[in-house]
Every structure is written in C-alpha cells, then in structure tokens.
Amino acid sequence: MTTIQISADAGAVDAAMLATSKEETRHYLKGVFLDARGFIVGTNGHMAFAARCDAIVGKLDAVRPAYDTSGNCLAGVIVPAEAIAQAAKAAGRSKGLCYVFERDAQGLWWILYGNARIHFAPVDGSYPSWNRIIPTAPDTLTAGHYNPLYLASIGNMAKALNDGKKDMATAFRLHQDGENPALVTFRNPDGEPRADCVAVLMPMRTRPSDYAAASIADGFRL
C-alpha cells in the first residue's frame, strides 16, 4: 500500500478540534477531517472551522469510507478527536509546530506529534459537504443571538491559531447576520485578517416570547 505523510499546522488542527462533536449519534463528526481538496475541518453542526492545508493536496484523493463504492463521499480521512487529544497529551512539552498524519506500507495510520507516536483507526463515515455552509460576510451587520459556550470556543480557536497566547482570544471578528449562519474571520497579532482559515457559528433561534425581556427590564428601573 502506498504510504502517505501529511504535515498539518498544529494551531489549525487544535482549532478544528474545538469544533468537533461529542455526540455518539454523530460519530462521523467526532474527529478532524483532512479533506483531500486541501483543508483541515471540524464541525459539530452548530459551528465549524476550516483551514487551508496545501500539504494534503494530491495525497488523499483515493481515501474514502470503506462502504463508498459509488465515489459520492468526500475523499479524505476523519482523524478521531480522541486520538489527536491522546497525541497532544503524550507529547507533553515536546509539542511541535505540526501534527504529522501518516499511513504506513501496511495501511496503518499514525499521528506523530513532538515525541509522541499514536496509532489510530480513521472514523469510518461520510463527512458532510461542510463548504456549503460557509456564508459570505453580510454588507450590514444584523445582531444575532449566540450560545456563549460556542463563542468561548471561537475565542479558543483564535488563541490556538496564535500559539496559545491568552491575549489573542479576541483576535476574531463575528460577522453577525441575524438568524443566518455567521461568518467568523481571524486576525494575526498585528491585526491583519487571515485568509487561510474561517469559522462559522450558527445563531440561536429566537421566539416572539424572547422579546418580553424589554418589559421585564422596566420593572428594575428605579
């Protein structure tokens, strides 16, 4: 079997990890997807992260789920989030700038990170067409309601993309579009926008009763 070796930016992988699902019923989302078209992706259905990775291009075109005989599934490999977390823990202080994902001549998959070498079995599932949910930035910002836990995860993505620096937790821009998916862009330490990665945050749906807050607030004005 042909060997494969891909070096992926550690910050991008760590950011994608923050968007992966923890639901057993959505096992195909419980990992980071190395899209054969050249992207590192994570999504849980409520938010998503994607970063370009040129090192993937041309190496995973023939890698598809075992049951895909029609070729309709996206080519690539879903690396279990659990395996990536295990590699990060095993690496300890030897963490590097890249995760290396490798398939050896026997067809076994490995993660190399720092001094760690972890075997994993790819998630046997079909990854959704994640790129279809990437919105364009709206011309006019319209306030939306967002789950604060997901907003915190977006901040942690910004940190991961900037070497884990705490002061970079606000290095993102949320392009609010009301009840439509919101595009999230990230910034470098110098404040310049990054063109190599984006995120998407789904808004919380509102109901007419949610706007009763205005009248409730009146009772606290002295």
Side-chain angles (χ1 to χ4, degrees):
M1 180 173 287
T2 303
T3 60
I4 296 172
Q5 190 173 76
I6 296 167
S7 294
D9 178 73
V13 174
D14 290 342
M17 280 280 286
L18 291 163
T20 58
S21 177
K22 295 180 174 57
E23 298 180 25
E24 292 297 334
T25 56
R26 310 181 83 177
H27 70 283
Y28 53 93
L29 298 182
K30 294 183 64 179
V32 171
F33 183 51
L34 304 182
D35 190 320
R37 296 171 295 183
F39 295 93
I40 299 167
V41 185
T43 184
N44 60 10
H46 301 284
M47 62 178 176
F49 173 86
R52 295 184 181 277
C53 182
D54 293 339
I56 295 174
V57 178
K59 296 182 179 179
L60 297 175
D61 294 341
V63 179
R64 299 176 184 272
Y67 55 80
D68 179 26
T69 57
S70 62
N72 292 326
C73 297
L74 291 180
V77 58
I78 306 174
V79 184
E82 183 179 356
I84 296 174
Q86 185 180 357
K89 182 177 180 180
R93 295 184 178 181
S94 69
K95 294 180 180 180
L97 297 176
C98 294
Y99 287 89
V100 177
F101 300 97
E102 179 183 272
R103 186 181 72 183
D104 64 23
Q106 286 70 48
L108 299 177
W109 287 90
W110 303 87
I111 302 175
L112 289 72
Y113 188 45
N115 293 329
R117 181 179 172 86
I118 303 296
H119 167 65
F120 73 91
V123 176
D124 189 22
S126 175
Y127 209 78
S129 298
W130 59 271
N131 52 301
R132 294 182 180 179
I133 67 169
I134 305 294
T136 55
D139 294 329
T140 303
L141 297 183
T142 303
H145 298 273
Y146 303 94
N147 186 316
L149 294 178
Y150 295 147
L151 280 172
S153 291
I154 296 292
N156 286 331
M157 289 178 188
K159 286 170 55 180
L161 292 169
N162 289 282
D163 299 323
K165 296 177 181 177
K166 293 182 179 180
D167 60 345
M168 297 305 296
T170 59
F172 69 90
R173 296 294 181 269
L174 181 65
H175 303 269
Q176 300 186 57
D177 194 16
E179 294 197 354
N180 296 312
L183 178 71
V184 181
T185 55
F186 298 93
R187 294 180 179 269
N188 290 317
D190 59 6
E192 290 299 312
R194 296 181 59 142
D196 62 336
C197 55
V198 295
V200 179
L201 184 58
M202 303 299 291
M204 296 171 63
R205 299 301 179 186
T206 57
R207 302 162 297 178
S209 59
D210 293 333
Y211 294 97
S215 59
I216 292 173
D218 289 340
F220 291 85
R221 295 193 178 94
L222 302 178

